[in-house]
Coordinates of all heavy atoms in Angstrom, one line a residue:
M284 N 31.6 234.7 74.5 CA 30.8 235.8 73.9 C 31.5 237.1 74.3 O 31.8 237.2 75.6 CB 29.4 235.7 74.3 CG 28.7 236.9 73.6 SD 26.8 236.9 74.1 CE 26.2 236.0 72.7
N285 N 31.6 238.1 73.5 CA 32.2 239.3 73.8 C 31.0 240.3 74.2 O 30.1 240.5 73.4 CB 32.9 239.8 72.6 CG 33.7 241.1 72.9 OD1 33.6 241.7 73.9 ND2 34.7 241.5 72.0
D286 N 31.2 240.9 75.4 CA 30.1 241.8 76.0 C 30.3 243.2 75.6 O 29.5 244.1 75.8 CB 30.1 241.7 77.4 CG 29.6 240.3 77.9 OD1 28.8 239.8 77.2 OD2 29.9 239.9 79.1
A287 N 31.5 243.5 74.9 CA 31.8 244.8 74.6 C 31.0 245.4 73.5 O 30.6 246.6 73.5 CB 33.3 244.9 74.1
V288 N 30.4 244.6 72.5 CA 29.6 245.1 71.5 C 28.3 245.6 72.0 O 27.9 246.6 71.7 CB 29.6 244.2 70.2 CG1 28.6 244.5 69.3 CG2 31.0 243.9 69.8
P289 N 27.6 244.7 72.8 CA 26.3 245.1 73.2 C 26.3 246.4 74.1 O 25.5 247.3 74.1 CB 25.7 243.9 74.0 CG 26.5 242.7 73.5 CD 27.8 243.2 73.1
R290 N 27.3 246.5 74.9 CA 27.5 247.7 75.7 C 27.6 248.9 74.8 O 27.0 250.0 75.1 CB 28.7 247.7 76.6 CG 28.4 246.7 77.7 CD 29.6 246.7 78.7 NE 29.5 245.6 79.7 CZ 30.5 244.9 80.1 NH1 31.7 245.2 79.9 NH2 30.1 244.0 81.0
A291 N 28.3 248.9 73.7 CA 28.5 250.0 72.9 C 27.1 250.4 72.2 O 26.8 251.5 72.0 CB 29.6 249.7 71.8
V292 N 26.3 249.3 71.8 CA 25.1 249.6 71.3 C 24.2 250.2 72.4 O 23.4 251.2 72.0 CB 24.5 248.2 70.7 CG1 23.1 248.4 70.4 CG2 25.3 247.8 69.6
E293 N 24.2 249.7 73.6 CA 23.4 250.3 74.7 C 23.7 251.8 74.9 O 22.9 252.6 75.1 CB 23.6 249.5 75.9 CG 22.9 248.1 75.9 CD 23.4 247.3 77.2 OE1 23.9 247.9 78.1 OE2 23.1 246.2 77.1
A294 N 25.0 252.1 74.8 CA 25.5 253.4 75.0 C 24.9 254.3 73.9 O 24.5 255.5 74.1 CB 27.0 253.6 75.0
Q295 N 24.8 253.9 72.7 CA 24.2 254.6 71.6 C 22.8 254.9 71.8 O 22.3 256.0 71.4 CB 24.5 253.9 70.3 CG 25.9 254.0 69.9 CD 26.1 253.3 68.6 OE1 25.3 252.7 68.0 NE2 27.4 253.3 68.1
T296 N 22.1 253.9 72.3 CA 20.6 254.0 72.5 C 20.2 255.0 73.6 O 19.2 255.5 73.7 CB 20.0 252.6 72.5 OG1 20.5 252.1 73.8 CG2 20.1 251.9 71.3
D297 N 21.2 255.1 74.6 CA 20.9 255.9 75.8 C 21.3 257.3 75.5 O 20.9 258.2 76.3 CB 21.7 255.3 77.0 CG 21.3 254.0 77.4 OD1 20.1 253.7 77.2 OD2 21.9 253.3 78.2
S298 N 22.0 257.6 74.5 CA 22.3 259.0 74.2 C 21.2 259.8 73.9 O 20.2 259.3 73.3 CB 23.5 259.0 73.0 OG 22.9 258.6 71.8
V299 N 21.3 261.1 74.1 CA 20.3 262.0 73.7 C 20.3 262.3 72.2 O 21.2 262.8 71.6 CB 20.4 263.4 74.5 CG1 19.4 264.4 74.1 CG2 20.4 263.0 76.0
Q300 N 19.1 262.2 71.5 CA 19.0 262.5 70.2 C 18.6 263.9 69.9 O 17.9 264.5 70.7 CB 17.8 261.6 69.6 CG 18.0 260.1 69.6 CD 19.2 259.7 68.7 OE1 19.4 260.2 67.7 NE2 20.0 258.8 69.1
P301 N 19.2 264.5 69.0 CA 18.9 265.9 68.8 C 17.5 266.1 68.3 O 16.9 265.3 67.8 CB 19.9 266.3 67.5 CG 20.3 265.0 67.0 CD 20.2 264.0 68.0
E302 N 16.9 267.2 68.7 CA 15.5 267.5 68.5 C 15.4 267.9 67.0 O 16.1 268.6 66.5 CB 15.1 268.6 69.4 CG 13.6 268.7 69.4 CD 13.2 269.7 70.5 OE1 13.6 269.6 71.7 OE2 12.7 270.8 70.0
R303 N 14.4 267.3 66.3 CA 14.2 267.6 64.9 C 13.1 268.7 64.8 O 12.2 268.9 65.5 CB 13.6 266.3 64.2 CG 14.4 265.1 64.3 CD 14.0 264.0 63.5 NE 14.8 262.9 63.5 CZ 15.2 262.2 62.6 NH1 14.6 262.4 61.4 NH2 16.0 261.1 62.8
T304 N 13.6 269.7 63.9 CA 12.9 270.9 63.8 C 11.9 270.8 62.6 O 11.2 271.7 62.3 CB 13.8 272.1 63.5 OG1 14.5 271.8 62.4 CG2 14.7 272.2 64.7
G305 N 11.9 269.7 61.9 CA 10.9 269.5 60.8 C 11.5 269.8 59.5 O 11.1 269.6 58.5
S306 N 12.7 270.3 59.4 CA 13.3 270.6 58.2 C 14.0 269.4 57.6 O 14.5 268.5 58.3 CB 14.5 271.7 58.4 OG 15.5 271.2 59.3
V307 N 13.8 269.2 56.3 CA 14.3 268.1 55.6 C 15.7 268.4 55.0 O 15.8 269.5 54.4 CB 13.4 267.8 54.5 CG1 13.8 266.5 53.7 CG2 12.0 267.4 55.0
P308 N 16.8 267.6 55.2 CA 18.0 268.0 54.6 C 18.0 268.0 53.2 O 17.3 267.1 52.4 CB 18.9 266.8 55.1 CG 18.1 265.9 55.8 CD 16.7 266.5 56.0
Q309 N 18.6 268.9 52.5 CA 18.6 269.2 51.2 C 19.6 268.2 50.4 O 20.7 268.1 51.0 CB 18.8 270.6 50.7 CG 17.8 271.6 51.2 CD 16.4 271.3 50.7 OE1 16.4 270.9 49.5 NE2 15.4 271.3 51.4
P310 N 19.3 267.5 49.4 CA 20.2 266.8 48.7 C 21.3 267.6 48.0 O 21.0 268.7 47.8 CB 19.4 266.0 47.6 CG 18.1 266.9 47.4 CD 18.0 267.6 48.8
P311 N 22.5 267.1 47.8 CA 23.6 267.9 47.1 C 23.1 268.3 45.7 O 22.3 267.5 45.1 CB 24.7 266.9 47.1 CG 24.2 265.5 47.2 CD 22.9 265.7 48.1
D312 N 23.5 269.3 45.3 CA 23.3 269.8 43.9 C 23.9 268.9 42.9 O 25.1 268.8 42.9 CB 23.8 271.4 43.9 CG 23.5 271.9 42.4 OD1 22.5 271.4 41.8 OD2 24.1 272.8 42.0
D313 N 23.2 268.3 42.0 CA 23.7 267.5 41.0 C 23.9 268.1 39.7 O 24.0 267.4 38.7 CB 22.7 266.2 40.8 CG 22.8 265.3 42.0 OD1 23.8 265.3 42.7 OD2 21.7 264.5 42.2
G314 N 23.9 269.4 39.7 CA 24.1 270.3 38.4 C 25.5 270.1 37.9 O 26.3 269.4 38.6
P315 N 25.8 270.6 36.7 CA 27.1 270.4 36.2 C 28.2 271.2 37.1 O 27.8 272.2 37.6 CB 27.0 271.1 34.8 CG 25.8 271.9 34.8 CD 24.9 271.4 35.9
A316 N 29.3 270.7 37.2 CA 30.3 271.3 38.0 C 30.9 272.5 37.2 O 30.8 272.7 36.0 CB 31.6 270.3 38.0
G317 N 31.3 273.5 38.0 CA 31.9 274.7 37.6 C 33.2 274.5 36.9 O 33.9 273.4 37.1
P318 N 33.7 275.5 36.1 CA 35.1 275.3 35.5 C 36.1 275.2 36.6 O 36.1 275.7 37.7 CB 35.3 276.6 34.8 CG 33.9 277.3 34.8 CD 33.2 276.8 35.9
A319 N 37.0 274.2 36.3 CA 38.2 274.0 37.2 C 39.3 273.4 36.3 O 39.1 272.6 35.4 CB 37.8 272.8 38.2
P320 N 40.5 274.1 36.4 CA 41.7 273.6 35.7 C 41.9 272.1 35.8 O 41.9 271.7 36.9 CB 42.8 274.5 36.2 CG 42.1 275.7 36.9 CD 40.8 275.2 37.3
L321 N 42.2 271.4 34.8 CA 42.5 270.1 34.7 C 44.0 269.8 35.1 O 44.5 268.8 35.5 CB 42.3 269.4 33.4 CG 40.8 269.4 33.0 CD1 40.6 269.0 31.7 CD2 39.9 268.8 34.1
D322 N 44.9 270.8 35.0 CA 46.3 270.8 35.2 C 47.0 269.6 34.6 O 47.8 268.9 35.1 CB 46.5 270.7 36.7 CG 46.1 272.0 37.4 OD1 46.2 273.1 36.8 OD2 45.6 271.9 38.6
V323 N 46.5 269.3 33.3 CA 47.2 268.2 32.6 C 48.5 268.8 31.8 O 48.4 269.8 31.2 CB 46.2 267.7 31.4 CG1 47.0 266.7 30.6 CG2 45.0 267.2 32.1
P324 N 49.7 268.3 32.1 CA 50.8 268.9 31.5 C 50.7 268.6 30.0 O 50.5 267.6 29.5 CB 52.0 268.0 32.2 CG 51.3 266.8 32.7 CD 49.9 267.1 33.0
R325 N 51.2 269.7 29.3 CA 51.3 269.6 27.9 C 52.7 269.9 27.5 O 53.2 271.1 27.5 CB 50.3 270.8 27.3 CG 49.0 270.4 27.4 CD 47.9 271.5 27.0 NE 48.1 272.7 27.9 CZ 47.2 272.8 29.0 NH1 46.5 271.9 29.4 NH2 47.4 273.9 29.7
A326 N 53.5 268.9 27.0 CA 54.9 269.0 26.6 C 54.9 269.4 25.2 O 54.2 268.9 24.4 CB 55.6 267.7 26.8
P327 N 55.9 270.3 24.9 CA 56.0 270.7 23.4 C 56.5 269.5 22.6 O 57.3 268.7 23.1 CB 57.1 271.7 23.5 CG 57.6 271.9 24.9 CD 56.8 271.0 25.8
T328 N 56.0 269.5 21.4 CA 56.4 268.3 20.5 C 57.5 268.8 19.5 O 58.1 267.8 18.9 CB 55.0 268.0 19.6 OG1 54.7 269.1 18.9 CG2 53.9 267.6 20.4
G329 N 57.7 270.0 19.5 CA 58.8 270.5 18.4 C 58.2 270.7 17.0 O 58.8 271.3 16.2
H330 N 57.0 270.6 17.0 CA 56.3 271.1 15.7 C 55.3 272.3 16.0 O 54.3 272.0 16.8 CB 55.5 269.9 15.1 CG 56.2 268.6 14.7 ND1 57.0 268.7 13.6 CD2 56.5 267.5 15.4 CE1 57.7 267.5 13.5 NE2 57.3 266.8 14.7
P331 N 55.6 273.4 15.6 CA 54.9 274.7 16.1 C 53.4 274.5 15.8 O 52.5 275.0 16.7 CB 55.4 275.8 15.3 CG 56.8 275.3 14.9 CD 56.7 273.8 14.7
V332 N 52.9 273.9 14.7 CA 51.5 273.9 14.4 C 50.8 273.0 15.4 O 49.7 273.3 15.9 CB 51.2 273.6 13.0 CG1 49.8 273.3 12.7 CG2 51.9 274.6 12.0
V333 N 51.5 271.7 15.6 CA 50.9 270.8 16.6 C 50.9 271.4 18.0 O 50.0 271.2 18.7 CB 51.7 269.5 16.6 CG1 51.2 268.5 17.6 CG2 51.6 268.9 15.1
D334 N 52.0 272.0 18.4 CA 52.0 272.7 19.7 C 50.9 273.7 19.9 O 50.3 273.7 21.0 CB 53.4 273.3 20.0 CG 54.4 272.2 20.1 OD1 54.2 271.1 20.4 OD2 55.8 272.7 20.0
A335 N 50.6 274.4 18.9 CA 49.5 275.4 18.9 C 48.1 274.8 19.2 O 47.3 275.2 20.0 CB 49.4 276.3 17.8
H336 N 47.9 273.6 18.5 CA 46.6 272.9 18.8 C 46.7 272.3 20.2 O 45.6 272.4 20.8 CB 46.5 271.8 17.7 CG 46.1 272.3 16.3 ND1 45.1 273.0 16.0 CD2 46.9 272.2 15.2 CE1 45.1 273.3 14.7 NE2 46.2 272.8 14.2
V337 N 47.7 271.8 20.6 CA 47.7 271.1 21.9 C 47.6 272.2 23.0 O 46.8 272.0 23.9 CB 49.1 270.3 22.2 CG1 49.2 269.8 23.6 CG2 49.1 269.2 21.3
E338 N 48.1 273.3 22.8 CA 48.0 274.5 23.7 C 46.4 274.9 23.8 O 45.9 275.4 24.9 CB 48.8 275.6 23.4 CG 50.3 275.4 24.0 CD 50.3 275.2 25.4 OE1 49.7 275.9 26.2 OE2 51.1 274.3 25.9
R339 N 45.8 274.7 22.7 CA 44.4 275.1 22.6 C 43.5 274.3 23.6 O 42.5 274.8 24.1 CB 43.8 274.9 21.3 CG 42.3 274.9 21.1 CD 41.9 276.3 20.5 NE 40.4 276.1 20.0 CZ 39.4 276.2 20.8 NH1 39.6 276.4 22.0 NH2 38.2 276.2 20.4
L340 N 44.0 273.1 24.0 CA 43.4 272.3 25.1 C 43.2 273.0 26.3 O 42.4 272.8 27.2 CB 44.0 270.9 25.3 CG 44.1 270.0 24.1 CD1 45.0 268.7 24.4 CD2 42.7 269.5 23.9
A341 N 44.1 274.0 26.6 CA 44.0 274.8 27.8 C 42.7 275.6 28.0 O 42.3 275.9 29.0 CB 45.3 275.7 28.1
D342 N 42.1 275.9 26.9 CA 40.9 276.7 26.8 C 39.8 275.9 27.4 O 38.8 276.5 28.0 CB 40.4 276.9 25.3 CG 41.5 277.9 24.7 OD1 42.2 278.5 25.4 OD2 41.2 278.1 23.4
A343 N 39.9 274.5 27.6 CA 38.8 273.8 28.2 C 38.8 274.0 29.7 O 37.8 273.8 30.4 CB 39.1 272.3 27.9
D344 N 40.1 274.4 30.3 CA 40.1 274.7 31.8 C 39.1 275.8 32.2 O 38.7 275.8 33.3 CB 41.5 275.1 32.1 CG 42.5 274.0 32.0 OD1 42.0 272.8 32.0 OD2 43.6 274.2 32.1
D345 N 38.8 276.7 31.3 CA 37.9 277.8 31.7 C 36.4 277.5 31.4 O 35.5 278.4 31.5 CB 38.2 279.1 31.0 CG 39.8 279.6 31.4 OD1 40.1 279.3 32.5 OD2 40.4 280.0 30.5
L346 N 36.1 276.3 30.8 CA 34.8 276.0 30.5 C 34.2 275.0 31.4 O 34.9 274.2 31.9 CB 34.7 275.4 29.0 CG 35.3 276.4 28.0 CD1 35.5 275.6 26.7 CD2 34.5 277.8 27.8
T347 N 32.8 275.0 31.4 CA 32.2 273.9 32.1 C 32.4 272.6 31.2 O 32.7 272.7 30.1 CB 30.6 274.1 32.4 OG1 30.1 274.3 31.0 CG2 30.5 275.3 33.3
T348 N 32.1 271.5 31.8 CA 32.3 270.2 31.1 C 31.5 270.1 29.8 O 31.9 269.5 28.9 CB 31.9 269.0 32.0 OG1 30.6 269.1 32.6 CG2 33.0 268.9 33.1
D349 N 30.3 270.9 29.7 CA 29.5 270.8 28.6 C 30.3 271.6 27.4 O 30.0 271.1 26.2 CB 28.3 271.6 28.8 CG 27.3 270.9 29.9 OD1 27.5 269.8 30.0 OD2 26.4 271.7 30.4
G350 N 31.2 272.5 27.7 CA 31.9 273.2 26.6 C 33.1 272.5 26.2 O 33.8 272.8 25.2
H351 N 33.6 271.4 26.9 CA 34.8 270.7 26.5 C 34.7 270.0 25.2 O 35.7 270.0 24.5 CB 35.2 269.6 27.6 CG 35.7 270.2 28.9 ND1 36.0 269.4 29.9 CD2 35.6 271.4 29.4 CE1 36.4 270.1 31.0 NE2 36.0 271.3 30.6
V352 N 33.6 269.5 24.8 CA 33.4 268.8 23.5 C 33.8 269.7 22.4 O 34.6 269.1 21.5 CB 32.0 268.2 23.3 CG1 31.8 267.6 22.1 CG2 31.7 267.2 24.4
Q353 N 33.4 270.8 22.4 CA 33.7 271.7 21.3 C 35.3 272.0 21.2 O 35.7 272.0 20.1 CB 33.0 273.1 21.4 CG 33.3 274.0 20.2 CD 32.5 275.4 20.4 OE1 31.8 275.5 21.3 NE2 32.7 276.3 19.5
V354 N 35.9 272.2 22.3 CA 37.4 272.5 22.3 C 38.1 271.0 21.8 O 39.0 271.3 20.9 CB 37.9 272.8 23.6 CG1 39.4 272.8 23.7 CG2 37.2 274.2 24.0
Y355 N 37.7 269.9 22.3 CA 38.3 268.7 22.0 C 38.1 268.4 20.4 O 39.0 268.0 19.8 CB 37.7 267.5 22.7 CG 38.1 267.7 24.2 CD1 37.4 266.9 25.1 CD2 39.1 268.4 24.7 CE1 37.6 267.1 26.4 CE2 39.4 268.4 26.1 CZ 38.7 267.7 26.9 OH 39.1 267.9 28.2
E356 N 36.9 268.7 19.9 CA 36.7 268.5 18.5 C 37.5 269.4 17.5 O 38.0 269.1 16.6 CB 35.2 268.5 18.1 CG 34.3 267.4 18.8 CD 32.8 267.5 18.4 OE1 32.4 268.6 18.0 OE2 32.1 266.5 18.7
D357 N 37.7 270.6 18.1 CA 38.3 271.6 17.3 C 39.8 271.2 17.3 O 40.5 271.2 16.2 CB 38.2 273.0 17.9 CG 38.9 274.1 17.2 OD1 38.8 274.1 15.9 OD2 39.7 274.9 17.7
V358 N 40.4 270.8 18.4 CA 41.9 270.4 18.4 C 42.0 269.1 17.6 O 43.0 269.0 16.8 CB 42.3 270.2 19.8 CG1 43.5 269.5 19.9 CG2 42.3 271.5 20.7
H359 N 41.0 268.2 17.7 CA 41.1 266.9 16.9 C 41.2 267.3 15.4 O 42.0 266.7 14.7 CB 40.1 265.9 17.3 CG 40.1 264.7 16.5 ND1 39.3 264.5 15.4 CD2 40.7 263.6 16.7 CE1 39.4 263.3 15.1 NE2 40.5 262.8 15.7
R360 N 40.2 268.1 15.0 CA 40.1 268.5 13.6 C 41.4 269.1 13.1 O 42.0 268.9 12.0 CB 38.9 269.5 13.4 CG 38.7 269.8 12.0 CD 37.5 270.8 11.8 NE 36.4 270.5 12.7 CZ 36.0 271.1 13.7 NH1 36.6 272.0 14.3 NH2 35.0 270.7 14.4
G361 N 42.1 270.1 13.9 CA 43.3 270.7 13.5 C 44.5 269.6 13.4 O 45.3 269.9 12.5
L362 N 44.5 268.7 14.4 CA 45.5 267.8 14.3 C 45.4 266.8 13.1 O 46.4 266.5 12.5 CB 45.7 266.9 15.7 CG 46.1 267.9 16.9 CD1 45.8 267.0 18.1 CD2 47.5 268.3 16.8
R363 N 44.2 266.4 12.8 CA 43.9 265.6 11.8 C 44.2 266.3 10.4 O 45.0 265.7 9.6 CB 42.4 265.1 11.6 CG 42.1 264.1 10.6 CD 40.6 263.8 10.6 NE 39.9 265.0 10.5 CZ 38.8 265.3 11.1 NH1 38.3 264.6 12.0 NH2 38.2 266.4 10.8
D364 N 43.9 267.5 10.4 CA 44.3 268.3 9.1 C 45.8 268.3 8.9 O 46.3 268.3 7.8 CB 43.7 269.7 9.2 CG 42.1 269.7 9.0 OD1 41.6 268.7 8.7 OD2 41.4 270.7 9.3
E365 N 46.6 268.6 10.1 CA 48.0 268.7 10.0 C 48.6 267.4 9.6 O 49.5 267.4 8.7 CB 48.5 269.1 11.5 CG 50.0 269.4 11.3 CD 50.5 270.5 10.5 OE1 49.6 271.4 10.2 OE2 51.6 270.5 10.0
L366 N 48.0 266.3 10.0 CA 48.5 265.0 9.6 C 48.3 264.8 8.1 O 49.1 264.3 7.5 CB 48.0 263.9 10.5 CG 48.5 263.7 11.8 CD1 47.7 262.8 12.7 CD2 49.9 263.4 11.7
T367 N 47.0 265.1 7.7 CA 46.8 265.1 6.2 C 47.6 265.8 5.3 O 48.1 265.4 4.3 CB 45.3 265.5 6.0 OG1 44.4 264.7 6.8 CG2 44.8 265.3 4.6
A368 N 48.1 267.1 5.8 CA 48.9 267.9 5.1 C 50.3 267.3 4.9 O 51.0 267.4 4.0 CB 49.0 269.3 5.7
L369 N 50.7 266.6 6.1 CA 52.0 265.8 6.0 C 52.0 264.8 5.0 O 53.0 264.5 4.3 CB 52.4 265.3 7.5 CG 52.8 266.5 8.5 CD1 53.0 265.8 9.9 CD2 54.0 267.1 8.1
D370 N 50.9 264.0 5.0 CA 50.8 262.9 4.0 C 50.8 263.4 2.5 O 51.4 262.7 1.6 CB 49.4 262.1 4.2 CG 49.6 261.3 5.6 OD1 50.8 261.0 6.0 OD2 48.5 260.8 6.1
A371 N 50.3 264.7 2.3 CA 50.1 265.1 1.0 C 51.3 266.0 0.6 O 51.4 266.7 -0.4 CB 48.9 265.9 0.8
G372 N 52.4 266.1 1.5 CA 53.6 266.9 1.4 C 54.3 266.6 0.1 O 54.2 265.6 -0.6
P373 N 55.3 267.5 -0.3 CA 56.1 267.1 -1.4 C 56.9 265.9 -1.3 O 57.3 265.4 -0.2 CB 57.0 268.4 -1.6 CG 57.1 268.9 -0.1 CD 55.8 268.6 0.5
G374 N 57.2 265.3 -2.4 CA 58.0 264.0 -2.4 C 57.7 263.2 -3.5 O 56.7 263.4 -4.2
P375 N 58.5 262.2 -3.8 CA 58.2 261.4 -5.0 C 57.0 260.6 -4.8 O 56.7 260.2 -3.7 CB 59.4 260.6 -5.1 CG 60.1 260.5 -3.7 CD 59.7 261.9 -3.0
A376 N 56.3 260.4 -5.9 CA 55.1 259.6 -5.8 C 55.5 258.2 -5.7 O 56.5 257.7 -6.2 CB 54.3 259.9 -7.1
G377 N 54.7 257.4 -5.1 CA 55.0 255.9 -5.0 C 54.7 255.2 -6.3 O 54.1 255.8 -7.1
P378 N 55.2 253.9 -6.4 CA 55.1 253.3 -7.5 C 53.7 253.0 -7.8 O 52.8 252.7 -6.9 CB 55.9 252.0 -7.3 CG 56.0 251.9 -5.9 CD 56.0 253.3 -5.3
A379 N 53.3 252.9 -9.1 CA 52.0 252.8 -9.6 C 51.5 251.3 -9.4 O 50.4 251.0 -9.0 CB 51.7 253.1 -11.0
R380 N 52.5 250.4 -9.4 CA 52.1 249.0 -9.2 C 53.2 248.3 -8.4 O 54.2 249.0 -8.2 CB 52.0 248.1 -10.6 CG 53.1 248.4 -11.6 CD 52.8 247.6 -12.9 NE 52.4 248.3 -13.9 CZ 52.9 248.2 -15.1 NH1 53.7 247.2 -15.3 NH2 52.5 249.0 -16.0
H381 N 53.1 247.1 -8.0 CA 54.0 246.4 -7.2 C 55.3 246.2 -7.9 O 55.1 245.9 -9.0 CB 53.4 245.1 -6.6 CG 54.1 244.5 -5.5 ND1 55.2 243.8 -5.7 CD2 54.0 244.6 -4.3 CE1 55.7 243.4 -4.5 NE2 54.9 243.8 -3.5
P382 N 56.4 246.6 -7.4 CA 57.6 246.4 -8.0 C 58.0 245.1 -8.6 O 58.8 244.8 -9.5 CB 58.7 246.8 -7.1 CG 58.1 247.0 -5.7 CD 56.6 247.0 -6.0
T383 N 57.4 243.9 -8.1 CA 57.8 242.6 -8.6 C 56.9 242.1 -9.8 O 57.1 241.2 -10.3 CB 57.7 241.5 -7.4 OG1 56.3 241.6 -6.9 CG2 58.6 241.9 -6.3
T384 N 55.9 242.9 -10.1 CA 55.0 242.5 -11.2 C 55.6 243.0 -12.4 O 56.3 244.1 -12.6 CB 53.6 243.1 -11.0 OG1 53.8 244.5 -11.0 CG2 53.0 242.6 -9.8
T385 N 55.5 242.2 -13.6 CA 56.0 242.6 -14.8 C 54.8 243.1 -15.7 O 53.7 242.6 -15.6 CB 56.7 241.4 -15.5 OG1 55.8 240.4 -15.6 CG2 57.9 241.1 -14.8
P386 N 55.1 244.1 -16.6 CA 53.8 244.6 -17.4 C 53.4 243.6 -18.4 O 53.9 242.6 -18.8 CB 54.6 245.9 -18.1 CG 56.1 245.9 -17.8 CD 56.2 244.8 -16.8

């Protein structure tokens, strides 16, 4: 049997306990965290409109977490609109029916 452990416990029980003044320790504040930069790198894509939307994500760095949703939704909407515009861009229309079918 190892006697080292009981001696350590005895030493702890013999130590002087600090006097309690009756104050109750306060729990940590569970409120929303303050604004803090996320420091997420944003690499340029080469498409100026897309880059502008991606840079808009930096606006979330100055907001509390409650405000991030609005920025993310705005950026998502802008990127979705840009993709939709690319799909509707100029170009030949696709075939009306499958090329292997005969009229």
Side-chain angles (χ1 to χ4, degrees):
M284 179 183 263
N285 188 349
D286 292 332
V288 174
R290 287 184 189 146
V292 171
E293 289 173 13
Q295 288 177 357
T296 59
D297 291 341
S298 65
V299 176
Q300 296 293 325
E302 197 171 296
R303 296 186 185 222
T304 60
S306 65
V307 177
Q309 297 297 321
D312 181 22
D313 288 336
L321 299 174
D322 295 325
V323 176
R325 290 175 288 277
T328 64
H330 300 280
V332 176
V333 172
D334 290 342
H336 289 297
V337 171
E338 280 302 315
R339 168 99 166 82
L340 291 172
D342 293 347
D344 287 348
D345 299 325
L346 301 172
T347 60
T348 53
D349 297 341
H351 289 187
V352 173
Q353 182 178 0
V354 173
Y355 295 156
E356 286 179 349
D357 183 48
V358 170
H359 181 259
R360 187 180 314 104
L362 291 171
R363 187 183 58 224
D364 291 348
E365 185 63 21
L366 285 172
T367 300
L369 288 173
D370 287 342
R380 55 177 107 136
H381 195 275
T383 58
T384 60
T385 56

